[in-house]
């Protein structure tokens, strides 16, 4: 492998095919394989995700699948024997929402949707089915005012160019503050 973009893309495609069964044996989905060069070394970055209907991926699961991927790469009959560094991760919030399962996992979150032939929509993702999504759009208001919500709108997957989760800092801050509040029973016990 010389490190040319075409060679790296071919290598990533070959490794994707090689690693899919290994990742699937852990009840995970192989989301992406990237190969890049750093001097004489290859960096193989593998992104794994959960199968539909499951919640967050645990660190132990990533460690287990990492060991299996490493073994599969070490036994690869078509390997060039160049040293490699393996990076295994789960997708972050910046991952584009491109598949129905990506959308399903983010029901309840704020998303930005690029709809073909329209302006981008920002709103709360409320439902996903086999045909598309339902979103409750946020209506822009003057700065400092509480956002207003529009009418729920269904959008077919065929009309969605791309989508992304929008990180909500105010929602995260509210959740953190709520965790810090004392339970009323704790107050009564403290007084006794």
């Amino acid at each position: 492998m010389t490190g040319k973009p075409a060679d790296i893309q071919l290598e990533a495609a070959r490794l994707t095919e090689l690693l899919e069964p290994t990742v699937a044996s852990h009840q995970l989905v192989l989301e992406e394989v990237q190969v890049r060069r750093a001097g004489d070394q290859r960096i193989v970055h593998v992104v794994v995700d959960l199968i539909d209907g499951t919640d967050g991926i645990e660190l132990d699961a990533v460690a287990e699948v990492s060991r299996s991927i490493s073994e599969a790469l070490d036994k690869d009959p078509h390997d060039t024997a160049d040293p490699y560094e393996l990076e295994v991760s789960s997708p972050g919030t910046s991952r584009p929402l491109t598949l129905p399962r990506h959308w399903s996992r983010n029901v309840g979150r704020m998303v930005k949707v690029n709809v073909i032939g329209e302006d981008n929509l920002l709103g709360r993702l409320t439902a996903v089915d086999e045909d598309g999504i339902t979103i409750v759009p946020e209506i822009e208001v003057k700065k400092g005012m509480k956002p207003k919500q529009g009418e729920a709108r269904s959008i077919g997957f065929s009309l969605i160019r791309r989508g992304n989760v929008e990180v909500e800092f105010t929602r995260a801050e509210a959740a953190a503050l709520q965790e810090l509040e004392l339970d009323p029973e704790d107050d009564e016990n403290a007084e006794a």
Side-chain angles (χ1 to χ4, degrees), residues 75-173:
K75 294 176 184 175
D76 179 4
H78 302 290
D79 187 42
T80 62
D82 290 344
Y84 70 89
E85 180 180 323
L86 176 62
E87 299 173 348
V88 179
S89 66
S90 60
T93 57
S94 62
R95 168 192 58 192
L97 305 174
T98 57
L99 300 172
R101 68 183 169 83
H102 298 161
W103 291 97
S104 294
R105 185 159 301 114
N106 289 290
V107 169
R109 291 191 169 177
M110 188 66 67
V111 294
K112 186 180 229 177
V113 185
N114 183 286
V115 182
I116 295 172
E118 297 182 33
D119 289 338
N120 289 342
L121 281 176
L122 176 68
R124 183 92 37 215
L125 180 63
T126 59
V128 178
D129 62 28
E130 61 190 34
D131 298 321
I133 65 169
T134 302
I135 183 174
V136 176
E138 293 262 320
I139 298 171
E140 284 191 43
V141 294
K142 291 181 183 178
K143 196 170 188 165
M145 295 181 71
K146 188 175 181 175
K148 293 183 180 182
Q149 296 181 335
E151 292 293 317
R153 179 167 171 207
S154 295
I155 306 168
F157 286 123
S158 63
L159 297 175
I160 298 173
R161 185 173 287 125
R162 70 178 170 276
N164 292 87
V165 171
E166 292 289 306
V167 177
E168 296 179 85
F169 293 108
T170 54
R171 193 173 192 195
E173 289 169 2

Side-chain angles (χ1 to χ4, degrees), residues 31 45-50 57-58 62 88-93 95:
E31 199 59 45
H45 183 82
V46 179
V47 180
V48 297
D49 199 4
L50 299 165
I57 191 166
E58 295 184 12
V62 174
V88 179
S89 66
S90 60
T93 57
R95 168 192 58 192

Side-chain angles (χ1 to χ4, degrees), residues 11-13 15-17 19 30-35 44-47:
E11 179 71 354
L15 291 178
T16 298
E17 192 173 316
L19 297 175
L30 180 60
E31 199 59 45
E32 181 180 25
V33 175
Q34 295 177 345
V35 178
V44 178
H45 183 82
V46 179
V47 180

Side-chain angles (χ1 to χ4, degrees), residues 181-192:
E181 290 179 6
L182 294 175
D183 185 355
E185 290 179 16
D186 292 341
D187 289 341
E188 290 172 12
N189 293 335
E191 291 174 9

Side-chain angles (χ1 to χ4, degrees), residues 9-45:
Q9 288 175 339
L10 287 172
E11 179 71 354
R14 188 185 70 75
L15 291 178
T16 298
E17 192 173 316
L18 173 77
L19 297 175
E20 276 179 333
T22 300
V23 173
S25 73
H26 289 268
Q27 285 72 51
L28 296 171
V29 176
L30 180 60
E31 199 59 45
E32 181 180 25
V33 175
Q34 295 177 345
V35 178
R36 44 186 205 277
R37 301 289 285 170
D40 292 339
Q41 186 170 338
R42 290 177 295 166
I43 298 172
V44 178
H45 183 82

